[in-house]
């Protein structure tokens, strides 16, 4: 008998929302419940996609917004077909730090790329998350957390506050328009409280 299909959970939000931390905690909690779990991220998550991640996040290339959108979706196609879909088909739950909502928010709202074009590409992906956790923080909190990060900032992290404000507005608009799929999490609270809210949402939205 073929295994039941796994569930696909994405975490979205602007810089400083705590996605990576919460993705790790969620993956660990699901493992503790007995699920097979794959934790992954975008851009990246497959060898070819990781090459494109380096192009998108590193350096100072001034991509045309449409070219940047296409690079993200090229990486996503590799990620979906070589990593995410095989895991789901094997009954594994996938926890992904960013997916196509990030392209819509960062390029569509942040860089004013054609959102209709992005929506067309979303339709071509052929995979919709079972649940998207939108980690929301006020712009000032995200900016403060971003300033407190160690290490070199990537290309998006170096963009100005106005860009990040547009991105955050984009995520909020996506969550409002896709309420059946998206659950907004107040991510300005402490790590344990945010994790508790995430687990409550997962339990309620994806029982069993």
């Amino acid at each position: 008998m073929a295994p039941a299909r796994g569930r696909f959970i994405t975490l979205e939000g602007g810089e400083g929302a705590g996605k990576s931390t919460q993705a790790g905690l969620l993956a660990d909690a699901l493992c503790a419940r007995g699920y097979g779990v794959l934790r992954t991220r975008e851009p990246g998550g497959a060898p070819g996609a990781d090459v494109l991640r380096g192009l998108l996040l590193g350096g100072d290339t001034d991509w045309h917004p449409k070219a940047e959108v296409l690079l993200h979706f090229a990486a996503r196609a590799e990620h979906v077909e070589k990593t995410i879909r095989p895991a789901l088909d094997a009954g594994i739950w996938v926890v992904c730090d960013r997916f196509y909502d990030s392209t819509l928010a960062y390029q569509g709202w942040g860089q004013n790329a054609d959102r209709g074009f992005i929506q067309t590409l979303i339709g071509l992906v052929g995979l919709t998350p079972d649940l998207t956790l939108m980690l929301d923080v006020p712009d000032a909190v995200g900016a403060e957390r971003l300033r407190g990060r160690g290490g070199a900032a990537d290309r998006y992290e170096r963009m100005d506050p106005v860009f990040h404000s547009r991105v955050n507005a984009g995520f909020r608009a996506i969550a409002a328009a896709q309420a059946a799929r998206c659950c907004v999490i107040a991510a300005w609270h402490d790590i344990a409280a945010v994790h508790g809210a995430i687990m409550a949402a997962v339990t309620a939205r994806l029982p069993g």
Side-chain angles (χ1 to χ4, degrees):
M1 182 180 295
R5 180 184 179 276
R7 299 298 187 98
F8 182 30
I9 303 173
T10 57
L11 288 86
E12 296 282 7
E15 304 299 332
K19 295 177 302 302
S20 297
T21 297
Q22 294 299 332
L25 292 172
L26 173 58
D28 289 346
L30 292 172
C31 284
R33 292 184 177 187
Y35 297 109
V37 179
L38 171 68
R39 180 184 170 192
T40 188
R41 67 175 184 180
E42 288 205 348
D50 286 333
V51 172
L52 293 173
R53 178 185 178 88
L55 294 175
L56 287 161
L57 301 189
D60 297 306
T61 303
D62 183 20
W63 301 104
H64 186 281
K66 182 173 282 189
E68 193 158 337
V69 166
L70 288 168
L71 284 170
H72 275 287
F73 274 92
R76 184 161 297 126
E78 282 285 292
H79 190 203
V80 167
E81 298 305 329
K82 293 186 175 178
T83 302
I84 297 175
R85 202 184 300 279
L88 294 174
D89 289 344
I92 295 169
W93 286 44
V94 176
V95 175
C96 189
D97 182 346
R98 298 198 183 284
F99 197 56
Y100 56 58
D101 293 314
S102 279
T103 308
L104 194 53
Y106 275 75
Q107 279 67 56
W109 266 269
Q111 296 178 318
N112 297 311
D114 185 339
R115 294 178 207 161
F117 176 64
I118 296 172
Q119 290 286 6
T120 297
L121 294 174
I122 287 173
L124 293 174
V125 169
L127 181 64
T128 301
D130 295 295
L131 173 62
T132 295
L133 301 161
M134 287 285 191
L135 274 59
D136 183 54
V137 295
D139 293 356
V141 172
E144 181 179 356
R145 290 179 178 177
L146 186 55
R147 286 192 296 269
R149 284 181 180 172
D154 68 34
R155 181 167 152 268
Y156 294 118
E157 291 169 345
R158 295 194 299 269
M159 292 185 178
D160 63 46
V162 174
F163 167 82
H164 290 293
S165 181
R166 291 198 301 265
V167 168
N168 289 337
F171 279 122
R172 290 167 191 141
I174 293 165
Q178 300 286 329
R181 170 174 64 86
C182 299
C183 180
V184 178
I185 303 293
W188 57 86
H189 298 298
D190 64 71
I191 291 173
V194 175
H195 175 61
I198 284 173
M199 293 309 300
V202 170
T203 300
R205 299 269 190 130
L206 301 177

